[in-house]
Structures are given as structure tokens and as C-alpha cells.
Amino acid sequence: MMFEPDAESMPAEQLAGLQQERLRVLVDRLLAADGVQAERLRSAGVTSGGGVGLSDLPQLPTTEKKDLWDAYPLRMLAVDRSEVVALHGSSGTGGRPTMVGYTRSDLRLWARMCARALAAAGAGPGSLIHNAYGYGLFTGGLGIHQGAIELGATVVPASGGMTPRQVTLIRDLQPDVLTCTPSYAIRLGEALADAGLRPGAGLALRAGVFGAEPWSKQLRARIEELLGLRALDIYGLSEVIGPGVAAECAEAADGLHVNEDHFLVEAVDPVTAKPVPDGTQGELVFSTLTREAGPLLRYRTGDIAALRRGPCPCGRTLVKMSQVTGRRDDMLVIRGVNIYPSEVERVLLEHASLSPDYLLVVDERAAQSQLLALCEYAPDGSGPDGAGRDGAETDGAYGVGPAEADLELRLREVLGVRVGVRVLPGGTLPRTEVGKAVRVVRWAGGEPPVPGLS
Ligand SMILES: [Zn+2]
């Protein structure tokens, strides 16, 4: 089902015409706002949107997160403050978040984009949506909330955390759609299982729309097994609008359709910023074609994914992006090899005896950094020597067992570099209650990131 079929299945030529027209409006809007983006456009010789074509895009200037920080709090606004009806923010630096403004029309656009994502997952009027994204300054909770209302569904604003209350709400209200981060879906699934609620026994969930952090196919399989639903990815970032920039369709579930009638997307080489061909991993770059308060030309997201065009069984003509495999900033350089944490996750989660929780430690105690992957046995205690949830290995000496040797071999094969593996008793690693899971820590000496590690 499509929420806006005319837009979502528009023929390619017509879509390009619409994007062209909107790109010119965007350039004119930026020039009129007379901020840092106008300055860069003029330096690049662009003084009007009129002559700008889609093929000129790679030559146009880019923006990045630093521009938003430099303009903190509201100097990036392209409209008068009195036209801004909402402000949101994302994680920032030095205690300053990145602030993003929305006009009434921006909020309506955002709601429609989230409604498209929910409809693509099979939700519609009458669906009951349990929304466990955090409500607040971050865009996840309120974005999905407004999208659900726009769609005509019933939304339960559960927000993040207070897991026992969430279990009660799910048991009593029987939602068919769950929305939250993938790591919280696991946490919630475990809590539901502990309360005796399982697929086919007390759970009516059919679909889940999960995003705000990178996740692998293996994690998707774990979530689907635990909750008995179809797990679909949603993508967005507050600088651009929030969740709903792109979403997976239930029909194919192999990549996210980008709402490119509003968010023009490119993939570029993260180092040279040159466009990469379709099918090649690159950094995603978005131009907001219709945003009023916070228009952005060629915003470099730092998110790494590949674009793919072609027909989809769902009938959408919108370009697909692969799941985000990592962030430009998350890229670890271990002995000269570039590694994204998600590549390690994929190997770890292939191992059935392990729980989906893991922590990567960049051990910087020696001159050459080493990567150490900490994981846990699954709660069913299927690890060797009974080292599961009630494992005996709690005295701090973690030996290298068969699972470790196996995983180290496999990681070396896949990544081309040595990664140390330690499998810990269940429950040792820190769990996430709200927001994004911490997957990578650096250890330069002093207190180990997990007690007993040496
Ligand atoms: Zn599709």
C-alpha cells in the first residue's frame, strides 16, 4: 500500500522534471536567505536558480554538520523566526545540539513522509502503532507520532525506557506495529519473552519500523524471530527533516526507497567527494527540495550506503538506498585497514550461540591499535561449559574457547585483519534502555571498559 501513490510511483522522466524545478526553487531560496550557503553558491558562480540543472549538482557546494554547529542556535533559518512552529535537535558537540527549525508546511511534509514509511510497512487506518522512539528534542518519537496520525492509525506514545510498562501496554493493547530503534526492539523482545509473551502466544505484532542506528541482516533475523514480525528499516536525520527520508517496503524489504521527490540523494566518495556509480558504497548527500525553514543544498551526512535504481515489486519508482553500513566518522582504521563496526557485527551474529549484544574495543594501549570484539553467550546458556547466563566465568579471567577461535578466524577472512574475540557470560555487557546503543569504545589504558578485561 502506498500513502501517496502518484508521487511514490511517478515515472522517472516526470520525477526528474519535478526535481529539476524544485532544485531551482531551492537555490533561489538559499540565495534569498543570504547565509553561508548563498555565499558558497556565489563563490561557485551561481547567482540564480534559473540556470541550474540536475547535471550541475556535483559542481555545487556542499554543507555539513559543522555549518549547523557554527550557526548555533538559529542562524541557519531561511525564514523569519515567527514562521517557525517547532524546533528539534540532534546530538551535537561541546554540549550544543544541532538545532533544526520547521514551518507549518515543513511539519506537514514530515508527517506525510512518516505516513509513507508506515504504509510501506503495511500499516493503515485502524492499525495500532506502539511508538517506542524517544519523545523530545530528537526527531524519532514525534516524527513517527505525527506520521501515524496522518495515516489515520492509532498511535500509542510509549516513548523510550520504562520497559515493564511497555510490556504491559503491548500485552493489553495488542499493537500490530512496533516502532523503535533495533537495539531497543531486542531489549523489548527479551522483556516480552520473560513475561511469557511470544509470537503466536500473546503477541499480535505484524510489522516493525526500526531505525536511528545501523543494523545488520543478522540482527534483523534475530528481531523477527524474537517478536514474530516483519522488521523494516527507516532512515532519516534531523538536519534533513527526521525519520521518513527513506523507508523499506514490506514487499521487497531489501533497501529503502528514498522520497526523492523531496530529498534529492547522491552517493559520493567519502574522501574525494566525487560521485560514485550506483551499486557502489558511498557517503549519502541530500538536498532538501521543499523544506522552508532549514533548506540544505548537498548536505553531507557521513552515512555510508549504496544507491540502486530499477523496478521494485511494490511498484514504487523511487531510488533505493542500501541499509546504512556505517558512518564516515565510525570508520575504524586498524593496522591500515578500514573497518566499519557493522561488518564485525555481521560476522558475530552469524554465530547462533551468541546474544545480539556486543561491544568493540579499540585497544590503544600499544603503539599499533588492536580491535577486540566482546560478545556474550545467548540467554539459553548454550555456550560451552555452561558459560551462559549463569556462567561460572565471573572471576575476571576470560579464556579463549572454541567460539572465540572460530570467530577470530572468520573475522580475519572477512576483514583481512586480526580481531581478538572474547565471549563473556550473558549479561556482562552494558544494555541500552533509551536511544542508541554504544557499540565502540576506545581503551587507552586505566579502567577496562568491561570489568576483568585484560
Ligand atoms: Zn519497494
Side-chain angles (χ1 to χ4, degrees):
M1 175 190 148
M2 291 184 218
F3 180 67
E4 294 181 314
D6 289 351
E8 295 174 72
S9 60
M10 191 180 283
E13 208 167 294
Q14 194 187 336
L15 178 61
L18 182 68
Q19 289 173 325
Q20 169 69 77
E21 191 185 307
R22 288 179 169 175
L23 178 62
R24 289 179 175 168
V25 173
L26 167 64
V27 169
D28 282 334
R29 184 178 291 140
L30 292 172
L31 287 167
D34 210 16
V36 63
Q37 298 189 81
E39 211 174 282
R40 283 179 201 158
L41 278 166
R42 289 193 194 105
S43 306
V46 180
T47 52
S48 142
V52 175
L54 282 180
S55 57
D56 299 324
L57 207 55
Q59 276 75 52
L60 296 180
T62 58
T63 42
E64 56 187 9
K65 194 146 187 161
K66 187 178 174 299
D67 295 319
L68 288 153
W69 285 335
D70 289 347
Y72 179 85
L74 298 175
R75 274 179 292 121
M76 283 289 270
L77 285 183
V79 296
D80 190 79
R81 228 279 291 128
S82 61
E83 289 179 55
V84 174
V85 297
L87 291 167
H88 279 279
S90 67
S91 53
T93 183
R96 296 187 310 186
T98 309
M99 295 306 299
V100 182
Y102 299 75
T103 63
R104 203 173 287 279
S105 148
D106 289 334
L107 276 190
R108 271 191 222 116
L109 169 67
W110 188 20
R112 277 161 47 216
M113 296 302 104
C114 286
R116 282 188 190 181
L118 292 166
S127 292
L128 191 72
I129 299 174
H130 183 97
N131 185 20
Y133 284 108
Y135 280 62
L137 201 55
F138 290 144
T139 47
L142 283 163
I144 296 291
H145 184 93
Q146 292 164 106
I149 292 170
E150 182 73 27
L151 185 64
T154 307
V155 62
V156 181
S159 195
M162 297 178 68
T163 304
R165 190 183 68 179
Q166 306 234 9
V167 169
T168 305
L169 286 170
I170 291 172
R171 185 196 61 204
D172 296 345
L173 293 172
Q174 292 288 301
D176 49 344
V177 179
L178 172 66
T179 54
C180 59
T181 62
S183 51
Y184 192 64
I186 291 281
R187 169 87 188 82
L188 198 50
E190 286 171 353
L192 287 163
D194 285 346
L197 299 168
R198 293 189 165 77
L203 284 185
L205 291 167
R206 288 188 303 113
V209 179
F210 304 119
E213 58 189 23
W215 50 310
S216 62
K217 283 195 170 62
Q218 287 72 22
L219 192 62
R220 185 201 296 257
R222 290 289 177 96
I223 294 172
E224 292 188 335
E225 191 189 348
L226 201 54
L227 291 164
L229 47 67
R230 194 80 193 273
L232 299 164
D233 199 0
I234 182 168
Y235 173 83
L237 58 175
S238 62
E239 300 93 303
V240 171
I241 200 161
V245 172
E248 271 183 325
C249 59
E251 289 88 343
D254 72 339
L256 299 85
H257 290 287
V258 179
N259 288 315
E260 55 179 335
D261 49 335
H262 296 282
F263 310 106
L264 191 55
V265 64
E266 305 164 77
V268 304
D269 183 294
V271 179
T272 66
K274 295 234 172 7
V276 299
D278 284 351
T280 305
Q281 300 261 324
E283 180 183 350
L284 297 178
V285 175
F286 285 99
S287 297
T288 64
L289 295 176
T290 51
R291 288 268 275 127
E292 291 180 343
L296 291 172
L297 181 65
R298 304 196 72 216
Y299 181 73
R300 295 190 57 168
T301 63
D303 290 329
I304 306 295
L307 297 178
R308 188 158 37 97
R309 277 161 237 276
C312 183
C314 72
R316 286 176 183 79
T317 50
L318 302 168
V319 66
K320 274 188 197 176
M321 56 179 263
S322 65
Q323 285 197 295
V324 171
T325 51
R327 296 221 9 106
R328 188 184 56 200
D329 313 339
D330 290 346
M331 192 175 80
L332 304 171
V333 183
I334 304 294
R335 294 173 188 265
V337 179
N338 298 347
I339 296 175
Y340 291 105
S342 58
E343 296 177 295
V344 181
E345 174 183 304
R346 218 165 293 142
V347 174
L348 296 178
L349 297 189
E350 279 169 9
H351 222 276
S353 68
L354 299 181
S355 103
D357 292 287
Y358 69 93
L359 183 69
L360 303 182
V361 179
V362 182
D363 185 349
E364 295 174 333
R365 290 175 300 166
Q368 262 205 324
S369 294
Q370 290 205 11
L371 188 60
L372 196 57
L374 307 181
C375 23
E376 288 180 0
Y377 286 113
D380 63 6
S382 54
D385 313 310
R389 173 173 278 180
D390 307 312
E393 289 184 72
T394 49
D395 59 0
Y398 304 121
V400 178
E404 276 109 344
D406 211 32
L407 286 164
E408 287 185 357
L409 197 68
R410 181 89 182 103
L411 283 166
R412 194 178 189 118
E413 269 172 27
V414 173
L415 303 173
V417 69
R418 200 191 106 76
V419 179
V421 177
R422 299 284 179 279
V423 184
L424 314 177
T428 314
L429 295 173
R431 296 293 198 272
T432 174
E433 186 74 11
V434 185
K436 304 181 186 195
V438 175
R439 298 300 199 192
V440 182
V441 295
R442 290 175 188 275
W443 184 22
E447 276 295 294
V450 169
L453 190 72
S454 59

